[in-house]
Amino acid sequence: MKPGAAASVADPSPNNLPLQVNQFIGREREMTAIKGLLTTTRLLTLTGAGGSGKTRLALQIATDLQKEFADGVWWVELAALSDPLLAPHAVTSVLGIPERAGRPVTEALSDALRRKHLLLVLDNCEHVLAGCVQLIETLLHTCGQVHILVTSREALTISGETTWLVVPLRAPDVSQPPSIEELQSYEAVQLFVERARSVRPSFTLTTENAPAVAQVCHRLDGMPLAIELAAARMRALSAEQIVARLDHAYQLLTGGSRTALPRQQTLRAAMDWSYDLLPAHEQDFFRRLSVFAGSFSFEAAEAICAGEPGAAGEAYDALDVLSSLIDKSLVVMEQRGSAARYRLLEPVRQYGQDKLQESGEAAQTRRAHRDWYARLAEQTESETQQAQQEVWFERLEEEHDNLRAALGWSLEREEAETAARIAAAIHRFWLLRGHMSEGRSFLERALAAYPAKTVTRVRALYAAAILASLQDDYSTGKRLAHESLALSRELAERRETGYALYVLGRLARIEGDYAGAARLFEESLALFRQLGRREDIALVLSGLGLTVLYLGDSERAAALSEESLEISRELGDSRGIASWLANLSVVMLARGDDTRARALCEESLAIRRALGYKGGCAHSLALLGRITLHQGAYERAVACFTESLALRQETGEKEGVAVALEGLAAVAGAQWRPVHAARLYGFAASLRSALGAPLPPIDRPVYQQSVATVHAQLDEPAFLNAWAQGQAMTREEALAEAAQVTAQTHAASPSTPMDTTPASPTRVRPFGLTTREIDVLRLVTQGLTTNQIAEQLIISPRTADAHLRSIYSKLAVTSRAAATRTAIERQLV
């Protein structure tokens, strides 16, 4: 879910609607009419001038209609986009629909929403109209229950569209001054008073100030944004002073005419007036802020916008200037966790961009913006090798719109070298946060525009190769990696040659060419040994160790893994130590030494916990889950997979979610809960397919064996049905399914380990029921009471009751009747 108001348990339907921090004023009749139209039309476009209140009206309507759409109301903000082709990507990001290489994003959206009953709100479409039109036409023709509400300065002009012009709020006619009571009935006045009180709580409408308030609302023609900007000045000015300044602004704008003005000119007048009130250094800072796409941090604003001292040469504090702009309603502050983020409302940002262009410093400011985000990307690339990877990736997520803008501007200016540097630096972020298609697109565009034979191109090539291979496009991945290798050799960049060989080795191993992978790893290793790059030696040794393990040489695999671990210990590289401990654990597990495998993995997990490395902890936990599952310690395995799942969700590593769910499915299968297992496997398979992240060939044998075990516990129709149910699940439903597996496993009595003796000569017990529980369940189906069951089995009533509670938990039922029905339907007794 994107930043905004996350849906709570009490919400009538899922949504990501932004929180409304102040009261919505007026427009009751418009809202009633628009909500009525949305029941008869599937596409409604709110049109009107910038600042007329389209966005706020759409948000209020969406909030009111939440109960009407079973699959939610979803808000998609398009203002930060500059490329129409990115409009569908913005929708997939909000809805959590993964993208896949070679498949149009609109097709993925169409498939995902085909059976959904939801309201999609696309805000600020006018600058990406072409992309929105194509997307909307597709959804209208393929998704019969999807309704779309659009805000745009102009209509889409497509078949099936209903348009609604958002007019200004009702304002008083000052030619016949109304009484205070009548004045309070005007929506424009209500808005002014409400917002004035937010900056001056003691403000009230009086006989003395009523004429001036009426003048403000009338002269601003009821435009909501203009009124809010004017009301914000009540912190320092009286209503009468505001009227005087508005007169001056109109004269500047219209050459002295005071007749009724076009609404856009009215908004421009309010913006000009607000801008002209700023000191020169605040004007400089404000217009430079318009370079940001979406939100921004204070650090970025200070570095990019502060510039030189003010016009008179005086120094100023950037934080003071930003605070002043917030007070004047030109900048909005948003709290994101423990940090503050800032943004300009879109009409304000567009005004600022006009001023920036007029100043002649647009190119200079955009270059400063691009360079700052290039440095951030490269700093993140180095920091991702340390313990704070998730912190930095979260920062990149917040700055994604600005990174897109920096990449786009570099490509527009034919400065593709910088675009390639940024894209190569953040390719791991794109990989782990599910933006692989977008990342590949930027890398491919940068590579196409930047044919120069440089080390930057080498790095961009192998970054693109990694993303391609992870989307199952191995041919493209190998082509890019081979080009990277050839160019690095031509440039005599030996370290980059080593990395290119390493990438090719990984690709070969993923495809199952273990002998080829070993040769490539060996060549990479030889290079790094010559260069004396011990951290890189450890990296390749570990990759080579796993490869020779798959070739059947477990002894050499252990030796190689031990060497990589020893190097990291000598270097004091805690992160490397944890990684190579985990890899050595895999080797030990393959050699049948479960005890050492578990000890190594637990040591890896302890180091990663100490580092605060959540992604690493999730990896170690998933591996520990595999080991403990192999040992038959189901409760421990479930605990590991469950924690790994929670961490993967927290870090946004979507493929890791699939791994954790596959682990829980394996536990459910081992405990004879095949329906749960098949559903989880089905959802994980669907998630991998959507991500374009198939299970690597090296992991498939164990996976296939586990799925076959589940398949054997069900007849063919039941298995296929459960798998299909899993594929159709939402993420929330899959997580609920996983929670059931966790609860049922932990509910099993630790003092009664699962008996491996079949309940009968021809059948193995399903659902993890023990022999005694089968006996108890059989008597339950015969209608016996607890005391009668105890008497029949020669046990105490308390023990019989404990067995019943365990049976209910394992069967996921809450009553004798439900247990009896399940036992008969599934032929358990």
Side-chain angles (χ1 to χ4, degrees):
M1 211 177 262
K2 283 292 186 184
S8 69
V9 175
D11 284 336
S13 68
N15 72 88
N16 70 329
L17 296 176
L19 289 173
Q20 301 188 60
V21 295
N22 49 34
Q23 182 182 354
F24 183 78
I25 302 295
R27 300 197 186 276
E28 288 85 2
R29 284 181 294 181
E30 292 97 321
M31 286 196 296
T32 299
I34 293 169
K35 285 185 282 189
L37 282 173
L38 277 171
T39 65
T40 60
T41 183
R42 292 178 47 230
L43 171 61
L44 178 62
T45 301
L46 302 181
T47 64
S52 60
K54 303 183 297 294
T55 293
R56 190 62 192 273
L57 177 59
L59 177 57
Q60 187 63 43
I61 290 168
T63 301
D64 291 349
L65 289 177
Q66 289 178 74
K67 294 181 181 179
E68 307 301 321
F69 295 90
D71 295 307
V73 176
W74 302 98
W75 186 270
V76 183
E77 174 56 68
L78 301 174
L81 301 184
S82 58
D83 184 350
L85 296 178
L86 291 178
H89 292 280
V91 180
T92 61
S93 180
V94 165
L95 294 176
I97 299 170
E99 301 168 11
R100 186 174 182 179
R103 185 187 192 197
V105 178
T106 52
E107 183 179 318
L109 278 167
S110 176
D111 289 346
L113 303 183
R114 198 175 299 275
R115 295 178 179 83
K116 299 294 185 181
H117 181 218
L118 57 81
L119 175 63
L120 192 63
V121 186
L122 304 180
D123 188 39
N124 288 302
C125 289
E126 56 271 3
H127 61 301
V128 288
L129 210 58
C132 290
V133 166
Q134 182 182 6
L135 168 64
I136 290 169
E137 285 186 324
T138 299
L139 294 181
L140 289 178
H141 285 95
T142 60
C143 305
Q145 296 188 82
V146 171
H147 290 240
I148 304 170
L149 180 62
V150 171
T151 72
S152 175
R153 293 190 183 184
E154 59 182 298
L156 305 177
T157 62
I158 61 177
S159 177
E161 179 187 33
T162 298
T163 61
W164 181 281
L165 177 63
V166 178
V167 298
L169 298 175
R170 196 164 61 93
D173 179 1
V174 295
S175 62
Q176 297 178 344
S179 65
I180 291 182
E181 291 74 21
E182 292 172 329
L183 197 59
Q184 289 173 332
S185 68
Y186 288 93
E187 295 171 340
V189 173
Q190 293 169 13
L191 179 62
F192 183 92
V193 171
E194 174 72 18
R195 301 301 186 257
R197 284 174 178 166
S198 69
V199 297
R200 190 195 290 180
S202 62
F203 177 77
T204 57
L205 197 63
T206 65
T207 304
E208 288 74 25
N209 63 30
V213 170
Q215 283 279 354
V216 169
C217 295
H218 174 76
R219 292 298 184 93
L220 294 180
D221 207 7
M223 295 293 286
L225 177 59
I227 290 171
E228 294 201 9
L229 289 170
R233 294 301 171 208
M234 291 295 293
R235 184 190 303 275
L237 300 173
S238 67
E240 291 79 2
Q241 288 173 312
I242 292 174
V243 170
R245 290 179 180 272
L246 282 176
D247 285 344
H248 180 62
Y250 280 155
Q251 187 175 11
L252 290 175
L253 184 65
T254 65
S257 172
R258 301 195 179 205
T259 59
L261 303 173
R263 295 188 183 97
Q264 184 60 40
Q265 288 184 340
T266 302
L267 176 61
R268 176 78 185 195
M271 288 302 307
D272 278 339
W273 159 76
S274 186
Y275 180 79
D276 289 340
L277 283 176
L278 300 176
H281 66 282
E282 287 192 11
Q283 289 183 344
D284 295 342
F285 200 89
F286 163 72
R287 64 174 178 263
R288 291 168 189 158
L289 286 176
S290 68
V291 77
F292 289 104
S295 67
F296 53 89
S297 66
F298 168 70
E299 293 78 12
E302 182 179 39
I304 297 166
C305 304
E308 300 299 323
E314 74 278 8
Y316 60 85
D317 183 86
L319 183 58
D320 288 343
V321 175
L322 186 61
S323 299
S324 177
L325 293 174
I326 292 169
D327 287 343
K328 295 167 183 173
S329 299
L330 290 169
V331 176
V332 176
M333 185 187 79
E334 300 173 334
Q335 194 71 26
R336 305 272 183 90
S338 60
R341 300 280 297 176
Y342 309 89
R343 66 184 179 89
L344 304 183
L345 296 175
E346 183 56 21
V348 177
R349 187 177 76 90
Q350 292 177 6
Y351 176 87
Q353 287 181 326
D354 290 343
K355 286 295 182 182
L356 187 65
Q357 197 66 40
E358 292 171 11
S359 73
E361 58 183 15
Q364 173 188 341
T365 307
R366 292 201 69 178
R367 186 177 302 282
H369 174 275
R370 190 276 312 279
D371 290 346
W372 195 89
Y373 282 101
R375 288 191 295 272
L376 174 68
E378 290 171 333
Q379 183 180 6
T380 303
E381 183 180 29
S382 63
E383 291 288 351
T384 56
Q385 305 306 312
Q386 307 303 319
Q388 297 300 312
Q389 175 177 322
E390 288 79 19
V391 174
W392 283 93
F393 279 6
E394 192 59 38
R395 187 172 180 184
L396 289 186
E397 196 74 69
E398 290 180 333
E399 300 288 8
H400 204 176
D401 285 330
N402 284 304
L403 288 163
R404 288 166 172 150
L407 284 162
W409 190 77
S410 296
L411 292 168
E412 289 169 13
R413 300 280 294 192
E414 298 183 357
E415 296 180 15
E417 189 272 342
T418 305
R421 279 198 298 116
I422 296 171
I426 64 174
H427 79 275
R428 278 179 55 78
F429 160 72
W430 280 326
L431 184 161
L432 293 173
R433 288 304 183 96
H435 305 296
M436 285 189 282
S437 295
E438 182 176 348
R440 284 187 68 186
S441 175
F442 272 122
L443 278 162
E444 288 166 3
R445 289 169 63 190
L447 287 167
Y450 182 62
K453 295 181 176 182
T454 66
V455 69
T456 295
R457 181 171 178 83
V458 170
R459 292 169 180 165
L461 282 165
Y462 64 64
I466 291 170
L467 291 180
S469 66
L470 289 171
Q471 290 197 312
D472 213 10
D473 188 356
Y474 299 125
S475 60
T476 299
K478 285 190 291 186
R479 175 179 59 78
L480 293 166
H482 277 297
E483 184 182 346
S484 176
L485 176 60
L487 181 55
S488 64
R489 282 175 167 160
E490 182 180 343
L491 296 171
E493 290 283 352
R494 300 174 71 196
R495 185 185 183 194
E496 305 306 330
T497 299
Y499 281 133
L501 288 165
Y502 174 74
V503 171
L504 282 166
R506 288 189 58 177
L507 284 168
R509 191 177 69 194
I510 288 171
E511 288 192 293
D513 180 10
Y514 304 132
R519 287 192 298 271
L520 290 160
F521 282 134
E522 293 277 16
E523 188 177 352
S524 175
L525 180 61
L527 261 177
F528 286 135
R529 286 196 191 280
Q530 291 171 14
L531 292 170
R533 296 196 58 84
R534 292 174 61 74
E535 65 272 22
D536 294 330
I537 292 170
L539 172 70
V540 182
L541 278 169
S542 182
L544 180 58
L546 290 179
T547 302
V548 299
L549 174 66
Y550 300 133
L551 284 169
D553 191 349
S554 62
E555 185 174 348
R556 188 179 179 219
L560 290 165
S561 298
E562 293 275 13
E563 185 183 353
S564 68
L565 179 58
E566 183 61 29
I567 290 172
S568 291
R569 290 193 192 279
E570 291 173 3
L571 293 171
D573 177 11
S574 297
R575 184 184 172 102
I577 293 169
S579 296
W580 314 147
L581 281 167
N583 281 4
L584 184 57
S585 176
V586 172
V587 175
M588 292 300 107
L589 180 62
R591 299 186 74 181
D593 190 347
D594 291 5
T595 301
R596 188 168 182 222
R598 183 167 179 171
L600 289 164
C601 194
E602 287 175 340
E603 185 182 352
S604 169
L605 177 60
I607 294 172
R608 284 168 163 171
R609 286 197 194 281
L611 291 172
Y613 177 25
K614 294 179 183 178
C617 287
H619 173 263
S620 292
L621 284 162
L623 177 55
L624 189 56
R626 283 178 54 193
I627 296 168
T628 51
L629 172 59
H630 190 260
Q631 293 177 320
Y634 300 132
E635 190 168 358
R636 173 66 170 147
V638 161
C640 289
F641 287 127
T642 301
E643 187 180 354
S644 178
L645 176 62
L647 288 170
R648 293 299 193 190
Q649 292 181 85
E650 191 174 335
T651 61
E653 297 177 44
K654 297 174 184 178
E655 186 179 358
V657 169
V659 171
L661 290 175
E662 287 160 354
L664 288 170
V667 176
Q671 290 192 305
W672 286 88
R673 294 202 291 277
V675 173
H676 286 307
R679 286 174 180 161
L680 289 177
Y681 275 131
F683 176 81
S686 177
L687 177 58
R688 284 188 177 278
S689 176
L691 287 173
L695 196 74
I698 56 178
D699 293 331
R700 289 174 190 169
V702 173
Y703 170 85
Q704 289 165 352
Q705 181 180 0
S706 180
V707 172
T709 299
V710 173
H711 200 165
Q713 297 171 37
L714 296 167
D715 58 37
E716 186 72 11
F719 174 79
L720 294 176
N721 182 56
W723 188 283
Q725 288 174 353
Q727 288 184 308
M729 281 180 177
T730 63
R731 185 175 65 113
E732 290 72 21
E733 290 169 340
L735 294 176
E737 191 82 18
Q740 286 190 51
V741 171
T742 300
Q744 290 174 11
T745 300
H746 290 321
S749 172
S751 62
T752 312
M754 190 170 73
D755 185 353
T756 58
T757 305
S760 72
T762 58
R763 299 183 68 245
V764 180
R765 296 178 315 284
F767 293 96
L769 296 169
T770 66
T771 301
R772 180 47 59 94
E773 287 169 350
I774 288 288
D775 293 335
V776 171
L777 183 58
R778 183 180 296 109
L779 296 175
V780 167
T781 63
Q782 295 172 11
L784 273 64
T785 65
T786 302
N787 287 337
Q788 290 169 332
I789 291 170
E791 183 178 351
Q792 284 272 352
L793 299 178
I794 316 177
I795 57 177
S796 70
R798 183 175 180 180
T799 300
D801 192 54
H803 283 310
L804 274 174
R805 289 197 300 273
S806 179
I807 291 168
Y808 290 171
S809 175
K810 291 179 179 181
L811 299 184
V813 299
T814 58
S815 67
R816 285 172 174 264
T820 298
R821 183 168 58 252
T822 300
I824 293 171
E825 290 175 351
R826 300 302 303 276
Q827 299 181 346
L828 303 181
V829 297

